[in-house]
Amino acid sequence: MSVPAASHADTRRYLIERVEDAAVVQLYADGFDELPLREKTLIYHLYQAAIAGRDIYYDQRYEHSLEMRDVLEEIVTHAAGIDAVSLAAIWRYTKLFWINSGPYNNLTARKFVLKLAPDAFADAAGRAAASGARFPLRAGERLGDLLARLGPCFFDPEFDPIVTNKTPGAGKDILATSANNLYRGVVMEDLDGFTERYPLNSRLVKQDGVLVEEVYRVGGRYDGYIREIVRHLRAAVPFATPAMAAALEALIRFYETGETDHRVAYDIAWVHDKDSPVDTINGFVEVYMDARGVKGAWEALVYYVNPHKTQEIRKLAAAAQWFEDRMPWDAAYRKQGVRGISANAIDVVVETGDSGPVTPVGINLPNDQTIREEHGSKSVSLSNATHAYDKSTLPEFRREFAWSDEEAARAEKWSSFASELTTNMHEVIGHGSGKIREHLNGNPQGVLKEQYSALEESRADLVALYFVPDPKLVELGLVDAAEQDEIVRAEYEGYARNALVQLRRVREGTQIEEDHMRNRQMIVRWLIENTRAIDVRRRDGKTYYVVIDVKAFQAGVGRLLQEVQRIKSEGDYPAAKALFETYGVHFDPALRDEVVARVERLQMPSYTGFVQPRLEAVRDAQGNITHVKISYPLDLAAQMLEYSGRTL
Ligand SMILES: [Zn+2]
């Protein structure tokens, strides 16, 4: 039943190093060794496909990222004679660059710069060149020209300052002020009356006044990378189950044509493959990086099912209609015949692109609302990532923001358990729930635009918070009756604390960009303003969000969920915007400064980059794979350089 997280006797290294406010943590895939050779071989080929597409994401995120990375990697791998202070600064920046897949912070969307004088950087590059470094020079270009050209990218925080800017301020354009490479020369006005044929998988470019879609496919943009992905996917097909092979074939077809019909066919094939023990996500998936919320960022994950934990999730999924029938929203928005919600607890073997080194802990796909309603969706919770997060968190971090010793003790005992439970509820009964009105044609994103993602994340979180005290969870065997009250209190307290603690992640500016952060901020601030559930208290110059009434918390969550569902179902854009503008986006910088000072004293990381497991195939004389070895590098640099084809 409910096993407190503290009971594991796992003494392996999780936290490897700290790089400024990032933690570097090793991810373990226990259970890989026990898989049959056929599944290991399948995973190996999918792992290669995941690494093959990694650079697509770098390029989508910023057009200069790959050149910048080449410069950095050539310097650190040819470091002889570079002075120690310069080299240390370059290493720090390079590691942050790898963790964030480019020069923009994963959470704040803001640029971070190399903290070194440009002269010293040029000197380091010159010494690296003398040791054999090969820089990405354009025709006729010299090293000095290259460094001058990329100088603003490395050193100027005001040059291309934000990767995704959904709220640029009055009169400014969300595309023009976003530095990502999903558009070129395009502003929102250009899109009036223009219908994209490849909304998810193209870069939109304005050429001589005309909009052109550069399609991501074989023969199109990213041709070379996509061909490599396809080659590895083909190698994987013979080792897959029939349902998974069908999905992989459909994915290959989509990579070949880029056509939306083929993307739909792939999504359907993927969602229908519910029982394969191994699965992959590989493609243009999440739309958070696009200020419009339309273009997909490339990502790949490869994983296998964790059978024990999956049993727990299946119980939730089987009861999905029970929960749907009791959602606190208008009956008109209740879905009938909720089906097809597949839920697996999985262990990931590799994550690249948009999902690595910084990883999600739960995923629910596909995003296409029409497919979700007709065919259902698949949910996974990333057990080994959640576990690694928990193992790398030090107890003093929880104590700092807890009002009382009892609260800290509850967090210590239950936070890991409660967060896994609510993550599962978020994915399985949260995202899968609710019905939207006919006039939205299955596409609430279209009308809710940049507010959609944060609203949908709020909805899923609220569903989890609303039902976590429900006796149904006891009936399903997911929690012990005697422990449920304490678990609920620990979860509510942790949720409230998080709205405060997460401010550490937004070190500059006074607004939150990241959608999950907006969602959590909105919910807690709404509860503070509209219920008596949470008390804001001060002690010794420190602020605390203290949960004083669990019942009021749940009732407030129900009221807010009712409204959030109404906004989604009706596509009420002004209401969505007002809700987030009032509660989710803006915050008091003095409070943030206080939180930052508190976490700095404890050296608490803002986010985590994971070092992935490493696979190596052993082959016989005919080239057949006879064994796949898994190992754990415990070294971010070694892994990143290996992915780029370099060694230290
Ligand atoms: Zn979610």
Side-chain angles (χ1 to χ4, degrees):
M1 289 254 195
S2 5
V3 182
S7 63
H8 299 278
D10 180 355
T11 54
R12 290 177 295 190
R13 262 179 88 200
Y14 282 86
L15 182 61
I16 296 167
E17 63 177 320
R18 290 287 309 276
V19 188
E20 297 193 354
D21 64 335
V24 178
V25 171
Q26 178 66 52
L27 191 63
Y28 294 91
D30 299 329
F32 179 84
D33 277 329
E34 278 75 64
L35 298 174
L37 177 61
R38 183 189 168 101
E39 286 165 21
K40 286 181 183 164
T41 307
L42 172 62
I43 290 173
Y44 178 74
H45 291 301
L46 298 170
Y47 164 90
Q48 301 279 42
I51 294 168
R54 165 185 183 243
D55 287 357
I56 295 174
Y57 180 67
Y58 269 86
D59 187 74
Q60 284 185 303
R61 205 155 162 78
Y62 190 44
E63 63 174 322
H64 306 294
S65 282
L66 289 170
E67 279 185 306
M68 294 171 76
R69 197 185 71 192
D70 277 343
V71 169
L72 295 166
E73 291 183 352
E74 284 299 301
I75 294 174
V76 298
T77 54
H78 299 86
I82 299 176
D83 83 84
V85 174
S86 299
L87 189 58
I90 295 168
W91 264 119
R92 245 188 335 269
Y93 179 78
T94 305
K95 286 179 181 174
L96 288 176
F97 198 93
W98 283 326
I99 293 167
N100 291 285
S101 302
Y104 296 94
N105 184 290
N106 216 286
L107 292 160
T108 64
R110 281 169 185 271
K111 180 170 170 176
F112 55 90
V113 295
L114 175 54
K115 291 171 190 156
L116 183 67
D119 287 355
F121 187 54
D123 183 70
R127 286 173 197 271
S131 311
R134 295 166 58 112
F135 289 101
L137 301 174
R138 291 180 181 170
E141 197 175 52
R142 297 162 64 156
L143 180 56
D145 306 326
L146 169 73
L147 295 177
R149 180 160 60 80
L150 294 178
C153 306
F154 281 115
F155 299 107
D156 183 355
E158 301 307 318
F159 179 76
D160 293 342
I162 300 178
V163 64
T164 306
N165 196 350
K166 292 181 186 167
T167 42
K172 291 187 186 150
D173 184 79
I174 58 172
L175 300 184
T177 55
S178 297
N180 65 56
N181 194 19
L182 302 170
Y183 302 87
R184 191 176 192 133
V186 180
V187 294
M188 286 300 280
E189 217 173 37
D190 296 322
L191 288 154
D192 287 345
F194 180 81
T195 308
E196 289 153 292
R197 178 163 172 188
Y198 306 95
L200 186 73
N201 57 318
S202 70
R203 181 170 81 154
L204 194 57
V205 176
K206 198 169 174 185
Q207 273 172 9
D208 305 323
V210 179
L211 290 178
V212 177
E213 292 177 80
E214 297 177 344
V215 187
Y216 307 149
R217 63 180 167 197
V218 171
R221 190 167 174 81
Y222 302 132
D223 172 68
Y225 301 122
I226 292 176
R227 278 177 198 275
E228 274 299 286
I229 295 168
V230 166
R231 188 169 72 82
H232 292 297
L233 292 177
R234 280 196 209 287
V237 169
F239 302 94
T241 60
M244 186 182 185
L248 291 174
E249 299 277 13
L251 176 59
I252 291 168
R253 186 91 187 108
F254 175 50
Y255 271 134
E256 286 171 340
T257 70
E259 295 297 337
T260 299
D261 286 353
H262 291 138
R263 196 265 305 151
V264 169
Y266 163 64
D267 277 354
I268 292 171
W270 182 79
V271 96
H272 280 217
D273 172 24
K274 297 203 195 298
D275 302 317
S276 297
V278 172
D279 203 355
T280 191
I281 294 164
N282 184 310
F284 302 95
V285 181
E286 302 290 357
V287 296
Y288 304 113
M289 185 166 58
D290 179 7
R292 276 173 74 215
V294 172
K295 306 255 168 242
W298 191 89
E299 69 173 358
L301 299 93
V302 183
Y303 50 87
Y304 57 88
V305 173
N306 180 320
H308 172 71
K309 295 201 163 170
T310 295
Q311 264 190 350
E312 306 262 291
I313 300 182
R314 293 260 158 100
K315 292 176 192 165
L316 266 180
Q321 187 68 55
W322 187 95
F323 289 104
E324 184 76 26
D325 294 341
R326 285 154 189 83
M327 290 293 175
W329 55 64
D330 193 304
Y333 311 140
R334 278 199 196 125
K335 211 195 256 183
Q336 291 310 313
V338 176
R339 66 192 166 96
I341 298 173
S342 159
N344 282 328
I346 53 130
D347 288 335
V348 281
V349 180
V350 68
E351 299 169 282
T352 60
D354 196 15
S355 56
V358 178
T359 162
V361 292
I363 296 175
N364 179 292
L365 291 173
N367 284 327
D368 186 326
Q369 186 73 23
T370 315
I371 295 174
R372 301 170 72 86
E373 291 192 6
E374 275 178 37
H375 301 272
S377 59
K378 288 202 288 195
S379 280
V380 294
S381 86
L382 284 64
S383 295
N384 57 340
T386 306
H387 184 67
Y389 268 121
D390 190 59
K391 294 293 286 184
S392 61
T393 305
L394 303 174
E396 49 268 38
F397 298 159
R398 293 195 183 105
R399 277 202 292 275
E400 172 64 30
F401 292 91
W403 176 253
S404 65
D405 292 343
E406 294 76 51
E407 182 183 334
R410 258 192 306 278
E412 191 61 33
K413 188 171 173 193
W414 292 114
S415 70
S416 174
F417 176 83
S419 86
E420 192 159 1
L421 177 65
T422 49
T423 300
N424 290 340
M425 294 170 77
H426 170 113
E427 299 294 346
V428 179
I429 60 171
H431 283 308
S433 67
K435 197 167 84 180
I436 55 168
R437 297 293 295 267
E438 293 280 313
H439 70 271
L440 298 178
N441 290 321
N443 182 22
Q445 295 97 316
V447 284
L448 292 169
K449 293 180 278 192
E450 80 282 357
Q451 306 297 331
Y452 177 79
S453 293
L455 187 83
E456 177 58 15
E457 292 312 318
S458 303
R459 210 178 62 82
D461 266 8
L462 289 164
V463 168
L465 293 168
Y466 183 73
F467 283 113
V468 74
D470 201 287
K472 184 72 177 175
L473 298 187
V474 175
E475 189 194 305
L476 292 173
L478 297 171
V479 295
D480 268 358
E483 293 165 338
Q484 190 170 23
D485 285 352
E486 200 183 14
I487 291 167
V488 170
R489 187 171 281 277
E491 171 61 22
Y492 286 180
E493 287 169 340
Y495 201 90
R497 274 198 312 274
N498 178 64
L500 193 59
V501 181
Q502 74 169 356
L503 294 178
R504 78 191 188 280
R505 296 174 160 171
V506 193
R507 304 236 164 170
E508 281 141 58
T510 61
Q511 63 184 45
I512 296 172
E513 297 296 338
E514 205 276 332
D515 291 318
H516 297 82
M517 289 176 64
R518 281 188 174 186
N519 130 41
R520 291 167 193 151
Q521 191 72 12
M522 185 279 283
I523 291 173
V524 173
R525 293 272 306 284
W526 189 95
L527 289 170
I528 290 172
E529 302 289 327
N530 295 285
T531 73
R532 29 185 315 277
I534 302 168
D535 210 10
V536 179
R537 292 185 191 161
R538 308 246 327 144
R539 184 173 62 201
D540 304 331
K542 294 178 177 178
T543 306
Y544 298 84
Y545 288 174
V546 190
V547 174
I548 52 166
D549 188 336
V550 167
K551 288 238 161 17
F553 194 113
Q554 195 215 9
V557 161
R559 265 165 63 211
L560 180 56
L561 177 54
Q562 188 180 358
E563 170 64 1
V564 164
Q565 181 63 46
R566 187 198 64 77
I567 293 172
K568 180 183 177 188
S569 293
E570 300 292 335
D572 187 346
Y573 175 79
K577 191 170 163 113
L579 187 61
F580 284 97
E581 285 289 325
T582 310
Y583 300 108
V585 175
H586 309 283
F587 59 83
D588 173 8
L591 182 60
R592 182 264 322 277
D593 294 345
E594 176 208 311
V595 170
V596 168
R598 289 163 74 179
V599 303
E600 298 256 279
R601 255 196 320 278
L602 295 169
Q603 296 195 307
M604 182 181 194
S606 302
Y607 62 107
T608 299
F610 284 94
V611 177
Q612 311 285 321
R614 178 176 186 274
L615 298 185
E616 194 184 334
V618 180
R619 293 173 192 267
D620 65 14
Q622 285 75 46
N624 301 309
I625 293 174
T626 56
H627 180 53
V628 181
K629 285 191 218 167
I630 190 164
S631 58
Y632 303 104
L634 295 163
D635 186 337
L636 177 73
Q639 178 154 79
M640 294 290 111
L641 290 169
E642 184 189 12
Y643 286 176
S644 308
R646 293 183 172 90
T647 45
L648 263 182

